[in-house]
């Protein structure tokens, strides 16, 4: 997984049927040589803009939704505690 | 997923039988340290050149087609709304 | 896999239900052109801060847990022996 | 997928039994910030040195072979038409 | 796959039970813009230090072992012939 900061919402009206109802957030990788990399992650735990989150990528992202037919490759799996410094 | 801009169509006459009928688009990653990365993504939602899209990669790309036997690793899953700024 | 050094613990109270009870560590890639890349890896073998570890990524990370429903994409699979120089 | 140019053949006598009979080609990524990245891709459609090809990576590469037991992670899935400019 | 050079053995006494008996090698990517990237790959074909090898990554790496429960994401699938220049 990677640590990232939620930057913004991404809105898409024309999209795969299986994605309807999913929230998408633009996140930016925090720290290390990948800092500043942008990703779009599905969010099912109501992460807010500015929060630091844990993003899971690849086939494992589908596991967060409890179904295997959705074309997503990144999902927010946790919100990093505010008092967690790193 | 990543945000990308559709650059062009990619034409391939000699290709895997299972890819016949699929449209392939050259897309360029938008923003962040990966800006300018090029990818070829399958397109089933009629994205046009110049549009900003959401691209899903890896095994999840196959989920967009509703079949699991096609050798693709990237697909356009949504078109980003024109008034979505980020 | 990659060789990495354990940097810190990552705490997340609000997270996927399936992640409850899992320990997450921030690790930094060691050596090569990826040196300094940060990742968050699940840890089930009690790696300590400062130890050098082997991190497995992707769908294979789920194999470490012996279950396939957990949204993780990186896990510590081994601790590199202290007298192993490289 | 990525667009790449076929550079050379790769010969390996000592290899996994399941790879016997497969042709491997060295390809170089074309365009974008990944230009110049080298990969080894299996080839089942007789791509020639110098041709521009579409390379599919990851688990999807195995779909090209119609079997799921072969340890390959990249395969040439199409040859880009000569008159396709991008 | 990628072409890499075997650099060293990696020793890990405390590791996942399913990894016991597997040999791990540190390899360095050869050529292209990824030259110098380090990876740890499982080795089941007795590659020696200094040899050039083909490394397969991701879920496909597990196919080399003929079992699907092992947390590895990279494996040496072939040794590049000495007289193969590239």
């Amino acid at each position: 997984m990677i640590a990232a900061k939620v930057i913004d919402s991404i809105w898409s009206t024309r999209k795969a049927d299986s994605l309807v109802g999913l929230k998408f957030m633009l996140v930016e990788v925090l720290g290390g040589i990948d800092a500043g990399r942008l990703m779009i992650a599905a969010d099912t735990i109501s992460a807010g803009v500015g929060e630091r989150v844990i993003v899971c990528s690849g086939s494992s992202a589908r596991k967060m939704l409890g179904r295997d037919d959705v074309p997503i490759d990144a999902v927010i799996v946790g919100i990093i505690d505010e008092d967690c410094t790193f």
Side-chain angles (χ1 to χ4, degrees), chain A:
Chain A
M1 288 72 65
I2 52 100
K5 187 178 183 176
V6 180
I7 301 296
D8 216 337
S9 298
I10 295 288
W11 300 100
S12 168
T13 305
R14 292 163 59 198
K15 59 174 176 279
D17 292 342
S18 54
L19 298 180
V20 172
L22 269 182
K23 190 169 66 150
F24 290 98
M25 307 301 280
L26 185 71
V27 305
E28 181 180 319
V29 175
L30 287 173
I33 62 172
D34 288 331
R37 171 165 294 164
L38 296 181
M39 299 170 60
I40 297 176
D43 174 31
T44 63
I45 58 175
S46 300
V49 170
E51 284 190 299
R52 296 178 304 164
V53 293
I54 301 171
V55 176
C56 174
S57 298
S59 63
S60 297
R62 301 197 302 269
K63 306 295 175 182
M64 183 72 179
L65 304 185
R67 43 192 285 211
D68 202 47
D69 64 335
V70 182
I72 63 164
D73 65 11
V75 68
I76 296 173
V77 295
I79 294 167
I80 298 175
D81 292 351
E82 282 191 26
D83 57 358
C84 175
T85 57
F86 67 88

